[in-house]
Amino acid sequence: MTTVFGKIIRREIPADIIFENDRVMAFRDIRPVAPVHIIIIPKKEIPDLQSVSAEDLPLIGEMVAAAQQIARDLGLDEGYRLLTNNGPDSGQEVFHLHFHLIGGKPLGKIG
Ligand code: AMP
């Protein structure tokens, strides 16, 4: 099932894309919760973290590497938060796996 992120991958709707290679894309969240709020996605349509298979694990590593690169490029030297929502209790809205990379201000503790 395609989602709004699938449409961004296929350039059917616009996005502020800041990173892209053959397997991973990153763009600015349309409703940022902090000065930096980036969505990092695999181009493969995986609905959520719980659906990730063993063969997808290198792709998850590439998403983490993209997060590191973006954090360096955007000067998030004081830190950032990388998270994913999975399922209804998390409030997940878009069922295409994504990491939120959030930073640019003190974020407060969670947990
Ligand atoms: P989640 O609740 O984890 O599924 O988060 C989905 C995120 O996607 C939210 O933070 C939305 O603001 C963001 N979002 C939804 N549509 C777009 C879009 N067209 N471009 C950029 N970000 C979007």
Side-chain angles (χ1 to χ4, degrees), residues 51-59:
S51 305
V52 168
S53 65
E55 72 171 22
D56 294 325
L57 293 179
L59 190 53

Side-chain angles (χ1 to χ4, degrees), residues 4-17 25-30:
V4 65
F5 293 170
K7 292 178 180 170
I8 289 172
I9 292 167
R10 294 190 299 275
R11 304 302 208 270
E12 291 169 8
I13 61 171
D16 188 355
I17 296 166
M25 178 184 267
F27 47 86
R28 291 189 189 277
D29 195 293
I30 206 166

